[in-house]
Amino acid sequence: MHLLSKPLLPTRDITDEKTFVDRRAFLTSIGVGLAAGASVLSPRLAAAAPAFRRWQGEEDKLTPYADVTGYNNFYEFGTGKSDPAQNAGSLHPHPWKIEIAGDVKKPGIVDLDEFLRPFQPVERVYRHRCVEGWSMVIPWSGIPLRDIIARIEPGTKAKFVEFTTLHDPKQMPGQNRSVLPWPYVEALRMDEAMNLLTLFVTGVYGKPLPNQNGAPVRLCAPWKYGFKGGKSIVRIRFVEAQPHTTWNIAAPEEYGFYANVNPTVDHPRWTQAREHRAGEFFKRKTLMFNGYAEQVASMYTGLDLRANF
Ligand SMILES: Nc1nc2c(c(=O)[nH]1)N[C@H]1C(S)=C(S)[C@@H](COP(=O)(O)O)O[C@H]1N2
Ligand SMILES: [Mo]
């Protein structure tokens, strides 16, 4: 594949050094705890610390670490927003194995740390919009999924990529209740998976992902509703047919396969025109594709977004 030879990001999105330094001071001030001169990336990501990169309007403030890690959706640990932070201690994310399956050059099971070692990690600030109407602004770190896919070398039959969460009721007590069909499965069309924005997330706020955010690795496609970002991934499968995904199985009339953030297509039970940004009093207008239209809209030309919600 030729994709790795292309520049990963347009240069205008690389924040200048001063902003990077200011942000490090900010991270320290909110207690993320950086020793002087320390990298903002976790040790496992520090190998080649990149410039900080920002994909958002400068007016959007980062959501505090306490909210990012204390107000979550992760039904494997309960359906309340504080349940994951309270209950996810039973998850053991190290060591971690991931199965690479389907139409790929070399299917098999890999150790996550070993698998990620050759990659250049990036840090990106993304808006995060839950289908329920809340939103945050989160500094994720991880590997652009396109780099990972380029290395996996899927075959010509790979039209979709499916991500499966761990299924282990001992570690995930919420799986003893059938609130959702387990394991949690999500998927992207191949071009969506290869989009510059799509991130294989291993950290947040420069630290490894806390269990409640999907340790050791979860997905992020920031122009889609949050439920597309499957957590604690144990299998990546490349397939020809559109996969059956958890929320779409659970309530197909409410949660479509695409799940692109779209203020003009309401959820059957509530509006999607506005959102509640964590920490703000007044609601904000939700932006088309969560504000990432410039980077993603061309993937959907000719697709009826009302039918394909
Ligand atoms: N395995 C799994 N992944 C999941 C979920 C879940 O319940 N189980 N919830 C999804 C939903 S609805 C959202 S909004 C995001 C929340 O991510 P966060 O808690 O890191 O903000 O995770 C998504 N990934
Ligand atoms: Mo969500």
Side-chain angles (χ1 to χ4, degrees), residues 53-298:
R53 289 149 170 170
R54 208 170 164 92
W55 285 87
Q56 59 153 87
E58 293 294 326
E59 74 281 1
D60 280 359
K61 285 198 189 64
L62 296 183
T63 299
Y65 185 79
D67 294 332
V68 173
T69 60
Y71 188 92
N72 302 97
N73 268 342
F74 200 169
Y75 279 20
E76 285 84 342
F77 298 104
T79 53
K81 303 297 175 214
S82 55
D83 289 348
Q86 239 162 59
N87 303 331
S90 52
L91 176 69
H92 301 294
H94 302 287
W96 193 264
K97 303 238 180 274
I98 291 196
E99 183 188 354
I100 313 288
D103 184 24
V104 295
K105 195 172 180 192
K106 233 180 84 186
I109 294 171
V110 296
D111 173 77
L112 180 65
D113 281 332
E114 247 166 70
F115 180 67
L116 291 183
R117 199 163 294 136
F119 294 99
Q120 158 101 14
V122 297
E123 190 175 40
R124 298 210 187 132
V125 175
Y126 283 153
R127 282 180 291 267
H128 180 60
R129 172 62 156 80
C130 178
V131 72
E132 293 168 79
W134 49 272
S135 69
M136 296 186 180
V137 179
I138 303 180
W140 300 116
S141 42
I143 315 290
L145 185 64
R146 54 162 31 198
D147 295 359
I148 288 176
I149 292 177
R151 176 165 293 239
I152 291 174
E153 295 187 59
T156 51
K157 281 193 293 236
K159 304 281 190 278
F160 296 87
V161 197
E162 177 196 79
F163 303 89
T164 304
T165 292
L166 177 70
H167 189 196
D168 180 358
K170 281 205 197 76
Q171 291 187 64
M172 298 180 148
Q175 290 177 334
N176 289 309
R177 295 170 55 211
S178 47
V179 284
L180 285 176
W182 311 112
Y184 194 98
V185 175
E186 258 309 333
L188 297 172
R189 217 169 57 185
M190 201 61 172
D191 59 332
E192 298 176 324
M194 296 294 285
N195 188 276
L196 276 173
L197 292 179
T198 310
L199 203 60
F200 199 60
V201 173
T202 54
V204 66
Y205 268 104
K207 307 210 283 189
L209 270 184
N211 289 355
Q212 60 268 33
N213 293 90
V217 68
R218 59 92 61 80
L219 199 80
C220 181
W223 69 98
K224 292 177 178 288
Y225 292 116
F227 71 87
K228 294 301 285 182
K231 295 177 169 181
S232 305
I233 294 167
V234 294
R235 187 171 73 165
I236 305 174
R237 195 160 68 104
F238 294 79
V239 295
E240 187 158 23
Q242 183 175 304
H244 297 286
T245 52
T246 296
W247 279 102
N248 187 242
I249 294 167
E253 65 293 336
E254 298 190 18
Y255 309 105
F257 176 82
Y258 284 93
N260 290 320
V261 173
N262 188 340
T264 71
V265 177
D266 287 337
H267 184 280
R269 292 184 281 133
W270 59 80
T271 176
Q272 291 294 23
R274 287 173 191 283
E275 66 195 51
H276 178 226
R277 174 70 53 81
E280 293 184 353
F281 182 75
F282 294 105
K283 286 199 172 172
R284 285 178 177 249
K285 276 189 177 155
T286 286
L287 304 173
M288 187 64 201
F289 296 117
N290 207 21
Y292 300 102
E294 200 188 311
Q295 290 90 358
V296 304
S298 64

